[in-house]
Amino acid sequence: MVAKLSLLEDYFRALGSAAIAFSGGVDSSFLLKIAHGVLGEKAVAVTEKSHLLSSMEEEEGAAFCKKNGIRQIFIEENPLLLEEFRENPKNRCYFCKKNLFTKIKELALKNNLNAVCEGSNADDLTDYRPGLKAVEELGIKSPLRELGFSKAEIREASKELSLTTWNKPSKACLASRIPYGEVITEKKLNMVEKAESFLFTLGLFNCRVRIHGETLARIEIEEKFFSVLLENKDELLKTFKNLGFLYVTLDLQGFRSGSLNEVFGASL
């Protein structure tokens, strides 16, 4: 691990300056911390401010940058204006990433930053990640993936660096809660965000609320926490129905990242 960390530090020294696409998750937080440690003020966090990132994630990311003295720039974005994304084809992430990283590249140029880096890791090569095509087309750097950092290694290194994100549950963008082919709307994204926020209050952080159609919620949590959900059934039903859900279901297969990709035999 020490050798890999040294390679990562050398990677940033060679770049000289960089804009780091920062969501506040495990990978981008680790990448940003290392970049800032090497480059100082020449490493800038760039965060998308949109309906796809929960307010909790946004607040946690801002707190991370403030705590570590890192300059953070927000890009106001509305992916729902992109018809290719809004219509929700299976490669929707390609259109979203292409649009976002094009704007981050423009921002980097205006701020005299030599490169744009993003936080995908080596494990992502075995997943369905259409957004990586946009990353490659635009020449975005992927240091963790290029140097072979796995998710487990990133968590381990983050723990050694005393980063609070080391054991943070993975959080895909909110659009991943809507089945492919079903139109993505601001209303659906807000329903999902608020429903998951309620589950967080129960201590269920590793969870997903998938919305099917306009009114059906399918909750995915780890099987060991099923009892917690049932113990709070009445409050949960009241909360979800107030959000607009008519039907509230518990997926007996439990939590699994990327379950909506099962329709074409892939995972995310």
Side-chain angles (χ1 to χ4, degrees):
M1 181 61 71
V2 174
K4 274 191 175 181
L5 283 173
S6 294
L7 288 174
L8 184 56
E9 291 170 345
D10 289 342
Y11 189 105
F12 283 117
R13 288 192 188 95
L15 289 181
S17 62
I20 310 296
F22 176 65
S23 66
V26 178
D27 299 333
S28 65
S29 295
F30 171 68
L31 186 68
L32 179 60
K33 178 66 175 180
I34 299 299
H36 185 255
V38 173
L39 301 173
E41 63 182 15
K42 293 183 179 179
V44 178
V46 182
T47 301
E48 176 185 9
K49 198 178 183 71
S50 78
H51 301 301
L52 303 183
L53 184 69
S54 72
S55 57
M56 180 185 294
E57 289 284 288
E58 184 180 313
E59 291 167 6
E60 290 177 352
F64 180 91
C65 288
K66 183 177 181 179
K67 178 181 179 180
N68 290 281
I70 300 171
R71 181 187 177 197
Q72 184 180 26
I73 299 175
F74 286 95
I75 291 182
E76 297 279 351
E77 188 56 53
N78 186 0
L80 297 180
L81 296 177
L82 299 173
E83 183 178 357
E84 302 94 336
F85 175 82
R86 188 174 64 251
E87 294 301 316
N88 202 10
K90 69 178 184 179
N91 64 337
R92 64 164 180 249
C93 291
Y94 168 80
F95 301 107
C96 183
K97 295 294 187 185
K98 186 71 175 283
N99 179 63
L100 175 61
F101 280 112
T102 295
K103 293 183 178 180
I104 296 180
K105 282 188 69 174
E106 294 171 354
L107 184 149
L109 184 61
K110 290 179 181 178
N111 285 270
N112 297 312
L113 299 171
N114 296 332
V116 175
C117 299
E118 61 87 40
S120 61
N121 62 62
D123 294 341
D124 293 327
L125 294 173
T126 60
D127 288 342
Y128 176 65
R129 303 284 186 182
L132 292 181
K133 180 181 178 183
V135 166
E136 293 168 1
E137 288 178 355
L138 292 170
I140 306 302
K141 304 289 186 182
S142 303
L144 302 178
R145 189 155 47 95
E146 293 173 32
L147 297 177
F149 278 85
S150 67
K151 190 76 168 189
E153 289 174 326
I154 293 168
R155 289 190 183 278
E156 178 187 344
S158 296
K159 186 176 183 180
E160 292 175 359
L161 291 170
S162 299
L163 299 184
T164 56
T165 53
W166 77 269
N167 64 345
K168 185 176 183 178
S170 296
K171 297 289 182 183
C173 89
L174 293 174
S176 68
R177 315 301 197 266
I178 302 171
Y180 296 110
E182 295 188 14
V183 176
I184 301 171
T185 66
E186 182 178 347
K187 179 182 178 182
K188 290 179 182 178
L189 295 174
N190 287 336
M191 288 170 69
V192 165
E193 178 184 357
K194 291 175 181 177
E196 291 187 354
S197 292
F198 171 77
L199 296 183
F200 297 160
T201 67
L202 301 180
L204 306 174
F205 294 100
N206 207 25
C207 65
R208 296 287 188 271
V209 175
R210 315 287 187 186
I211 180 170
H212 295 261
E214 302 283 340
T215 56
L216 189 149
R218 177 169 60 83
I219 301 172
E220 293 180 17
I221 57 173
E222 295 174 86
E223 187 173 349
K224 62 184 178 181
F225 294 122
F226 281 9
S227 60
V228 175
L229 203 67
L230 295 175
E231 288 166 6
N232 293 275
K233 183 187 71 172
D234 292 341
E235 186 181 1
L236 183 148
L237 288 174
K238 180 180 178 180
T239 300
F240 275 51
K241 286 183 178 294
N242 284 339
L243 291 175
F245 292 106
L246 295 180
Y247 310 101
V248 183
T249 67
L250 171 62
D251 191 321
L252 296 182
Q253 295 184 78
F255 171 80
R256 52 214 193 281
S257 182
S259 67
L260 292 178
N261 292 321
E262 293 168 2
V263 294
F264 50 90
S267 63
L268 177 59

